[in-house]
Amino acid sequence: MTHHYDLLLIGAGHAHLGVLRRWAMVERPPGRIALLSAGPVAWYSGMLPGLLAGRHNADDCQVELQALCRAAKVELIISPVEGLSAAQQQVQLGDGRTLEASWLSLNVGAQISAPPQQGDAMQLLAVKPFAEFLNQWQHCQAKPTPLAILGGGAAGVELALALAGKVPQLALFSAGHLLDGLSAGVRLRALGHLRQRGVDVREDCPVSRIEDDRLISGNEPVWRGPRLLLASGANAFAWPQHSGLGCDERGFVLIAPTLQSYTHPTLFAVGDCASLPGARKSGVYAVRQGPILAANLNAVLRGLPLKRYRPQPQSLALLATGDGGALMDWHGYSAGGRLFGRWKDYLDRGFIQRHRM
Ligand SMILES: Cc1cc2nc3c(=O)[nH]c(=O)nc-3n(C[C@H](O)[C@H](O)[C@H](O)COP(=O)(O)OP(=O)(O)OC[C@H]3O[C@@H](n4cnc5c(N)ncnc54)[C@H](O)[C@@H]3O)c2cc1C
C-alpha cells in the first residue's frame, strides 16, 4: 500500500530544521506533511569536534526531532530512505514502506568515501553518520591506538586538534594544501597549532589505497597503523543519482535558484546533496537556504510566487582548536584565540537552542 502526502521533507538537515522552526513559530502551509529521518535526533556537525575534545556533552550537540515536529504540526517518520523515483514522486523506506507525495524536499547531506582497501588490518572509521561514528569512537577509547585522519579541510583539522593528546600518535593527511580555499593566514595558524600539539601533518600527500595496515600514496607507503578516520569531503549518496533526477558530474542534484530540481521541479533539494553554482558544501550555506526553502514550500502549497536564493560570496569560518579557542577566517583575514572560541560556542549553542521546542 502506498501512503500519499502533500509534502515529504527527506532528511533532518540544517535547512529542514530551519523550515520546521519557522512552521512551529508561524502557521505552517496546509496539507499532510511528514519529515523522514534516519534517526530520532539531528546531530550538529559544528559541535562534534568540541564533543570529541570533551568540551561538550552529547546532549549539547543534538536536536530532538519529535518535539520540533510536534511544534511544527508535522508527522515524524523514523526510517532511512533507501530509494526515490523522481518520475513517480515515490520514496522507498528502509522499513519496507513506500510513500508518495505531490512535493518532495531533499536535505540528506553527503557521505564520506574511503580509498580502496586490501585486507582488514586497518579499522576504518567514517566521521559521518555521526551517531554511528560516536558509537564506534566510544569503543576505540577503551584501547587508544595510533590514528591517521584523512582530510585536510576544516573538518579534518578540527578533528585532529580535538583528538591530539587522546591517542598515542596522530597523523593528518591532506591531498593538497591544508585548508585549501581558506586564507594563507588561517592555514599557517592551523599548522602552528597542529605542530605544537604533536600532530604529524602530511600536506600534498593524497592517499590512493590502503594495503593491510599501510596507507599508500602513489606507490609509496606513507603511514602504518591500526586505525584511520575518514573526514575527506562530501560525496553524493547513490540513491538520488539512481532516482532519475538530473545530477552534476559528482552526483549532486542540480538545482535552480528557486532550489527546485532542474529536471523535476516538484522536488526541492538543499544543502550538501544539491548542486548550485556559488553554493559551497558547508553548514553555513545549508542554514541560509532554510528561509528561502520555507517560503517556497509554503508558496507551492498555497499557489504563490517563488523566491530565489543567492549564495553569499563569502562566509565566516570559525575552526575549533580543541582547547577552547578557535581560528577565524573572514574575507581573507585570519585571527585566533579564546575570544573566537567563545564566539563560536555562542553561535553553535544558539543554533541548538533555536531548534529546541
Ligand atoms: C567534523 C565536522 C565539522 C564540521 N564543522 C562545520 C562547521 O563548523 N561549519 C560549517 O558550516 N560546516 C561544518 N561542517 C560541514 C557540515 O557538516 C556540512 O556541510 C553540513 O552538515 C551540510 O548540511 P546539510 O543540511 O546538507 O546536511 P546534514 O547536516 O549532513 O544533514 C543531513 C541529514 O539527513 C539525514 N540522512 C542522511 N541520509 C538519509 C537517508 N537516507 N534517509 C533519511 N535521512 C537521511 C542525516 O541523518 C542528517 O540528519 C563540518 C563537517 C564535519 C564532518
Side-chain angles (χ1 to χ4, degrees):
M1 187 178 142
T2 304
H3 304 264
H4 186 83
Y5 287 80
D6 294 291
L7 169 65
L8 287 174
L9 302 174
I10 305 174
H14 290 63
H16 279 173
L17 295 181
V19 168
L20 291 167
R21 174 176 173 262
R22 268 165 192 81
W23 291 350
M25 292 168 64
V26 295
E27 194 192 356
R28 81 156 173 75
R32 189 178 182 197
I33 305 178
L35 170 74
L36 309 182
S37 172
V41 298
W43 286 92
Y44 182 51
S45 57
M47 293 175 88
L48 187 82
L51 173 63
L52 295 176
R55 300 194 53 258
H56 305 307
N57 60 46
D59 254 12
D60 297 334
C61 316
Q62 52 188 349
V63 173
E64 208 249 296
L65 296 174
Q66 189 63 66
L68 182 59
C69 284
R70 198 181 306 120
K73 298 191 178 63
V74 164
E75 190 182 330
L76 172 64
I77 299 174
I78 299 175
S79 179
V81 170
E82 292 192 340
L84 172 70
S85 161
Q88 295 175 311
Q89 297 271 114
Q90 285 190 343
V91 177
Q92 286 81 47
L93 300 186
D95 63 12
R97 277 184 287 174
T98 300
L99 311 180
E100 66 176 26
S102 308
W103 296 92
L104 296 166
S105 178
L106 213 55
N107 186 197
V108 290
Q111 61 181 344
I112 307 250
S113 68
Q117 184 177 22
Q118 178 196 301
D120 58 3
M122 192 180 290
Q123 184 189 8
L124 304 193
L125 308 164
V127 69
K128 280 183 172 188
F130 296 132
E132 217 167 283
F133 166 63
L134 290 170
N135 198 17
Q136 285 179 311
W137 186 248
Q138 230 173 2
H139 292 288
C140 295
Q141 277 178 306
K143 194 176 166 228
T145 63
L147 177 78
I149 298 177
L150 207 64
V157 168
E158 285 193 304
L159 289 170
L161 289 169
L163 297 178
K166 293 194 160 37
V167 292
Q169 288 162 39
L170 184 58
L172 175 63
F173 285 85
S174 179
H177 269 29
L178 211 63
L179 299 176
D180 199 18
L182 297 186
S183 68
V186 90
R187 172 177 163 263
L188 289 176
R189 285 174 194 270
L191 278 169
H193 277 273
L194 289 161
R195 289 192 177 131
Q196 199 183 11
R197 311 275 289 284
V199 181
D200 175 10
V201 181
R202 314 275 187 93
E203 290 189 284
D204 301 308
C205 189
V207 172
S208 44
R209 59 187 195 279
I210 303 160
E211 283 179 6
D212 302 315
D213 63 349
R214 283 165 305 166
L215 297 182
I216 312 291
S217 180
N219 282 322
E220 294 293 313
V222 287
W223 188 79
R224 191 168 192 167
R227 270 185 196 139
L228 176 67
L229 174 55
L230 303 160
S232 50
N235 291 282
F237 287 110
W239 56 267
Q241 298 174 61
H242 299 147
S243 66
L245 290 169
C247 293
D248 69 11
E249 66 292 346
R250 294 175 61 206
F252 296 109
V253 180
L254 281 165
I255 57 166
T258 54
L259 307 175
Q260 289 165 291
S261 152
Y262 260 117
T263 54
H264 296 77
T266 49
L267 182 142
F268 290 79
V270 285
D272 281 5
C273 69
S275 173
L276 179 74
R280 295 187 207 148
K281 305 231 177 285
S282 97
V284 174
Y285 285 77
V287 168
R288 290 281 184 95
Q289 290 169 350
I292 305 291
L293 180 67
N296 284 356
L297 293 175
N298 183 53
V300 293
L301 290 168
R302 294 184 194 272
L304 302 170
L306 298 183
K307 290 189 171 176
R308 293 164 74 84
Y309 161 76
R310 280 182 198 82
Q312 69 266 36
Q314 298 281 342
S315 69
L316 171 74
L318 284 169
L319 275 61
T321 46
D323 53 1
L327 302 178
M328 186 224 40
D329 184 89
W330 173 242
H331 279 270
Y333 294 103
S334 71
R338 296 264 164 181
L339 189 65
F340 294 100
R342 285 209 286 277
W343 187 17
K344 177 169 168 54
D345 279 350
Y346 171 77
L347 295 176
D348 288 344
R349 287 181 193 277
F351 179 88
I352 295 290
Q353 281 310 323
R354 278 200 301 283
H355 297 92
R356 284 212 168 132
M357 298 290 155

